[in-house]
């Protein structure tokens, strides 16, 4: 990754002059809460070769500002109004994020006016008629045990001017946006419109994607839970496949453009023999094609398990008309069903009596509560989002990078995508764990 082609400076609404209430939440005898300086930074790249290159050129190392509470804050908590919105697809941990933001605002910063915007960006538009939800410790009690989002969600673009109009009418000081790449781009547009109008509104984004593909975010919440549940599907597929002569288990997992979930789940439950991802082209036919490799595996071991990411093999549908969802995203063709049909047809022509079982757990995974690891992770993200907003920082997302929580400018990440490196250690580990390369022979 090139580390010198994006800006890491964080925007602020103005000088923070108010003493943070966290001064009263210190550990007795320990000199109070450990505040984070704005000069505390985490290097973007940790490879010594890259770092030495900057040092030799006498250039500062590219770095991100570290998250955490600041000694001085920008907003007066007694007068502040905050809003929270969840957008896009569901994901484990949404309720944990909402709860952590509310509890931090209410108990630590003593903010009493916290609004939940219903059904994503639709909630800002009067024509939809969605009610505002008052959020407080009582209204978020126990929501971490439920899947989905208590605020609901929606897809589709909305008029950014009308969104900012609503924020002005409500006198909102901090807007917390929780969503994926589309939400990140919308958040940036909202922040830009706020800047154009010279308003003092902070926009803080918490990135959400099961695919774990947001640029400059090494880990996104919900991913750990998704891997957990995906392993159950792999176990089921393996048991079904192994129980029958020439049994094949085929599992389709999320991953529109990136194969992180498919690859990680395969390593977590090492029962898969083939993993197909968007970053690596699939060739079905010929002596070195996938179907011949599958036949080689079936003849050798009498069963096989296949994991395919939803965005893999889209080149097979080039002759079909493209369709788009309400948010403008390309609607992917169903590679799972396509492969299922091609596998069945291939072995029928070969007169090999396979037993093929197809599993698609996608929407089960999306709607479940977060597991323990993701729940803890969401707590850190939510609290750090509050710290950033209260300090008057804006136009940023909360990221986990190089084992630290950092502030990343929206413009550095929005519209870009993180992809699995086919030459990297993760994919090479998948090839070693599955042994799939050994079946692609002449």
């Amino acid at each position: 990754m090139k580390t010198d082609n994006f800006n890491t400076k964080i925007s602020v609404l103005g000088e923070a002059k108010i003493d943070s209430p966290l001064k009263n939440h210190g550990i007795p005898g320990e000199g109070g809460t450990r505040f984070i300086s704005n000069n505390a930074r985490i290097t973007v790249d940790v490879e010594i070769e890259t770092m030495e290159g900057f040092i030799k050129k006498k250039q500062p190392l590219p770095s991100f500002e570290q998250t955490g509470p600041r000694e001085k804050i920008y907003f007066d908590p007694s007068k502040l109004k905050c809003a929270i919105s969840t957008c896009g697809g569901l994901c484990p941990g949404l309720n944990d994020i909402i709860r952590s933001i509310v509890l931090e605002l209410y108990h630590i910063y003593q903010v009493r006016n916290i609004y939940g915007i219903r059904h994503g960006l639709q909630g800002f538009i009067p024509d939809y008629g969605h009610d505002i939800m008052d959020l407080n410790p009582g209204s978020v009690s126990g929501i971490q045990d439920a899947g989905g989002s208590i605020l609901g969600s929606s897809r589709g673009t909305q008029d950014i001017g009308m969104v900012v109009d609503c924020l002005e009418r409500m006198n909102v000081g901090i807007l917390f946006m929780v969503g994926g790449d589309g939400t990140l781009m919308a958040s940036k547009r909202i922040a830009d419109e706020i800047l154009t109008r010279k308003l003092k509104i902070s926009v803080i984004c918490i990135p959400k994607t099961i695919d774990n593909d947001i640029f400059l975010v090494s880990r996104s919440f919900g991913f750990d839970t998704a891997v957990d549940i995906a392993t159950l599907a792999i176990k089921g597929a393996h048991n079904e496949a192994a129980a029958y002569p020439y049994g094949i288990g085929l599992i389709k997992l999320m991953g529109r453009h990136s194969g992180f979930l498919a690859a990680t789940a395969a390593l977590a439950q090492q029962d898969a023999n083939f993993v197909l991802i968007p970053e690596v082209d699939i060739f079905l036919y010929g002596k070195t094609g996938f179907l011949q490799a599958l036949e080689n595996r079936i003849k050798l071991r009498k069963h096989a398990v296949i994991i395919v990411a939803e965005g893999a093999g889209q080149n097979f549908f080039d002759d079909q008309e493209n369709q788009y969802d309400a948010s403008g995203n390309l609607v992917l063709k169903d590679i799972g069903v396509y492969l299922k049909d091609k596998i069945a047809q291939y072995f029928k022509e070969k007169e090999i009596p396979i037993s093929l079982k197809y599993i698609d757990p996608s929407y089960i995974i999306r709607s479940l509560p977060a597991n323990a690891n993701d729940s803890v992770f969401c707590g850190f993200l939510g609290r750090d989002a509050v710290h950033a907003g209260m300090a008057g920082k804006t136009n940023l997302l909360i990221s986990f990078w190089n084992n630290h929580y950092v502030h990343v400018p929206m413009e550095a990440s929005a519209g870009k995508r993180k992809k699995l490196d086919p030459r990297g250690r993760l994919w090479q580990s998948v090839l070693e764990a599955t042994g799939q390369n050994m079946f692609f022979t002449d």
Side-chain angles (χ1 to χ4, degrees):
M1 180 184 67
K2 293 184 178 181
T3 57
D4 57 352
N5 59 354
F6 52 81
N7 180 25
T8 61
K9 184 179 180 180
I10 297 300
S11 301
V12 294
L13 298 176
E15 184 181 354
K17 300 179 180 180
I18 303 171
D19 285 340
S20 171
L22 270 74
K23 284 188 174 182
N24 301 321
H25 290 271
I27 302 172
E30 295 295 329
T33 300
R34 176 179 175 271
F35 290 104
I36 302 297
S37 167
N38 284 324
N39 295 322
R41 304 188 70 85
I42 305 300
T43 55
V44 175
D45 201 314
V46 295
E47 292 186 356
I48 189 67
E49 183 178 355
T50 302
M51 298 175 75
E52 286 178 342
F54 282 96
I55 293 172
K56 287 179 181 178
K57 296 177 183 178
K58 296 183 179 180
Q59 296 176 344
L61 297 175
S63 60
F64 293 124
E65 184 179 274
Q66 192 171 347
T67 64
R70 267 46 178 181
E71 191 168 3
K72 297 288 186 179
I73 61 175
Y74 179 80
F75 289 103
D76 180 349
S78 66
K79 300 175 180 62
L80 178 64
K81 296 179 179 178
C82 298
I84 307 172
S85 177
T86 56
C87 306
L90 295 180
C91 177
L94 283 170
N95 283 334
D96 298 76
I97 293 287
I98 295 167
R99 184 171 182 267
S100 65
I101 291 174
V102 171
L103 295 184
E104 189 74 7
L105 285 169
Y106 195 95
H107 289 306
I108 304 303
Y109 285 99
Q110 307 299 310
V111 176
R112 294 294 179 262
N113 298 299
I114 310 169
Y115 306 127
I117 307 300
R118 301 298 306 275
H119 300 297
L121 292 181
Q122 286 186 8
F124 294 100
I125 311 300
D127 290 347
Y128 289 101
H130 299 314
D131 293 333
I132 298 297
M133 185 175 183
D134 287 324
L135 297 175
N136 54 61
S139 63
V140 300
S141 177
I143 65 172
Q144 72 274 20
D145 298 325
S149 166
I150 62 166
L151 299 179
S153 189
S154 69
R155 294 188 184 276
T157 57
Q158 304 298 336
D159 187 295
I160 297 301
M162 294 183 70
V163 171
V164 179
D165 289 343
C166 180
L167 293 172
E168 280 197 89
R169 287 194 300 269
M170 295 175 65
N171 198 27
V172 167
I174 306 176
L175 170 62
F176 298 97
M177 296 282 288
V178 189
D181 184 62
T183 302
L184 182 56
M185 289 189 288
S187 299
K188 184 181 181 304
R189 292 175 60 204
I190 292 170
D192 290 343
E193 177 65 18
I194 288 170
L195 179 63
T196 299
R197 299 189 189 189
K198 299 181 179 180
L199 302 174
K200 298 297 185 179
I201 303 174
S202 169
V203 182
I204 307 295
C205 189
I206 301 177
K208 165 203 68 73
T209 168
I210 287 178
D211 296 353
N212 199 31
D213 63 352
I214 294 181
F215 187 61
L216 298 178
V217 177
S218 61
R219 173 190 170 191
S220 55
F221 75 86
F223 182 73
D224 194 84
T225 305
V227 172
D228 263 2
I229 307 305
T231 59
L232 297 179
I234 297 170
K235 289 177 184 178
H238 177 260
N239 291 340
E240 286 284 351
Y244 297 90
Y246 303 119
I248 299 175
L250 173 62
I251 313 110
K252 184 180 79 171
L253 297 176
M254 289 84 74
R256 290 179 55 85
H257 303 282
S258 306
F260 290 106
L261 178 57
T264 307
L267 293 175
Q269 182 66 36
Q270 295 190 27
D271 286 327
N273 310 111
F274 300 95
V275 181
L276 310 177
I277 59 174
E279 294 88 343
V280 178
D281 290 337
I282 306 171
F283 301 96
L284 287 183
Y285 300 102
K287 291 183 178 180
T288 58
F290 167 70
L291 291 173
Q292 181 62 59
L294 180 58
E295 181 184 347
N296 295 341
R297 161 71 195 191
I298 287 292
K299 289 180 176 178
L300 179 67
R301 297 297 302 275
K302 301 298 187 290
H303 72 279
V305 175
I306 308 157
I307 300 173
V308 59
E310 62 179 320
Q314 292 302 300
N315 56 293
F316 297 137
F317 309 100
D318 287 343
D319 60 338
Q320 298 185 21
E321 183 179 355
N322 289 335
Q323 296 180 328
Y324 299 87
D325 65 17
S327 297
N329 298 313
L330 178 68
V331 177
L332 298 179
K333 304 302 190 295
D334 197 329
I335 185 62
V337 172
Y338 179 88
L339 275 183
K340 174 177 174 289
D341 293 342
K342 291 297 182 183
I343 291 170
Q345 179 184 358
Y346 177 85
F347 283 99
K348 182 178 180 180
E349 292 174 356
K350 291 274 186 172
E351 296 185 347
I352 299 175
I354 63 170
S355 174
L356 176 59
K357 305 294 168 56
Y358 176 55
I359 300 173
D360 180 358
S362 300
Y363 288 100
I364 295 175
I365 294 174
R366 291 180 186 276
S367 58
L368 290 175
N371 66 11
N373 282 339
D374 264 331
S375 192
V376 172
F377 186 49
C378 288
F380 279 106
L381 295 173
R383 287 187 290 272
D384 281 342
V386 172
H387 294 319
M390 292 301 301
K393 299 177 186 299
T394 188
N395 208 346
L396 65 83
L397 60 94
I398 305 298
S399 172
F400 189 69
W401 190 259
N402 286 339
N403 208 34
H404 288 79
Y405 296 90
V406 297
H407 299 145
V408 175
M410 289 184 191
E411 66 177 9
S413 179
K416 303 172 186 177
R417 198 175 304 280
K418 180 178 70 177
K419 291 194 174 185
L420 189 155
D421 182 2
R423 296 168 298 179
R425 186 170 184 180
L426 176 60
W427 184 243
Q428 293 305 311
S429 295
V430 170
L431 296 181
E432 293 171 22
T434 60
Q436 69 185 58
N437 275 357
M438 68 177 289
F439 298 108
F440 287 88
T441 64
D442 293 335

